[in-house]
Amino acid sequence: MTTSSDLRVLTSLQEIEPFQAEWRRLSSMPENDWEMYWSSLLCQEPAPAPYMVAASEGGRLQSALVGRLEAGHVRLGLGYWKLLRVPVKRIVIPMHGLLGPSGDSTVEAMIDRVVQ
């Protein structure tokens, strides 16, 4: 079971890069492949920041929730009328953004960390 002290939020290449080998070990889908992830960040304008919630045990990455922190808008409207566009920062977790096997309690703890 992962405790909140075993979870870390990483938001830069410098923080995430040491986990590259473990990321590759846990990756199972093209959507969460190391190269695909970084190239998708670099091709967007403006470039979003990486976002990763890492669950480790004994200093070793066991699972991770990976996504990106990007600028966006929330549209507020009434029926078909769009009254307001509010700029926001949003965390986007793509399909298959969960790396490695995770129990329900670990995933719940990771989502709680994202909400915080």
Side-chain angles (χ1 to χ4, degrees), residues 60-72:
R60 184 172 176 174
L61 186 66
Q62 296 300 314
S63 61
L65 188 61
V66 296
R68 62 187 181 270
L69 182 61
E70 64 184 24

Side-chain angles (χ1 to χ4, degrees), residues 1-18:
M1 180 174 161
T2 301
T3 64
S4 61
S5 63
D6 297 331
L7 295 177
R8 291 179 44 207
V9 175
L10 311 170
T11 57
S12 71
L13 173 61
Q14 294 77 18
E15 290 178 311
I16 297 173
E17 198 164 32

Side-chain angles (χ1 to χ4, degrees), residues 3-101:
T3 64
S4 61
S5 63
D6 297 331
L7 295 177
R8 291 179 44 207
V9 175
L10 311 170
T11 57
S12 71
L13 173 61
Q14 294 77 18
E15 290 178 311
I16 297 173
E17 198 164 32
F19 294 102
Q20 181 176 356
E22 293 174 351
W23 178 312
R24 290 176 190 269
R25 176 180 56 83
L26 296 172
S27 178
S28 61
M29 303 294 285
E31 292 88 347
N32 61 26
D33 177 71
W34 177 264
E35 284 83 14
M36 177 80 101
Y37 175 78
W38 290 105
S39 62
S40 73
L41 290 181
L42 296 174
C43 74
Q44 296 182 39
E45 286 293 326
Y51 189 88
M52 177 174 152
V53 180
S56 49
E57 190 174 304
R60 184 172 176 174
L61 186 66
Q62 296 300 314
S63 61
L65 188 61
V66 296
R68 62 187 181 270
L69 182 61
E70 64 184 24
H73 292 90
V74 171
R75 291 185 178 155
L76 302 174
L78 182 62
Y80 291 107
W81 294 315
K82 302 302 176 217
L83 304 174
L84 192 60
R85 263 182 72 182
V86 180
V88 295
K89 288 271 190 185
R90 61 184 173 203
I91 297 170
V92 178
I93 308 293
M95 183 182 299
H96 305 293
L98 185 62
L99 300 176

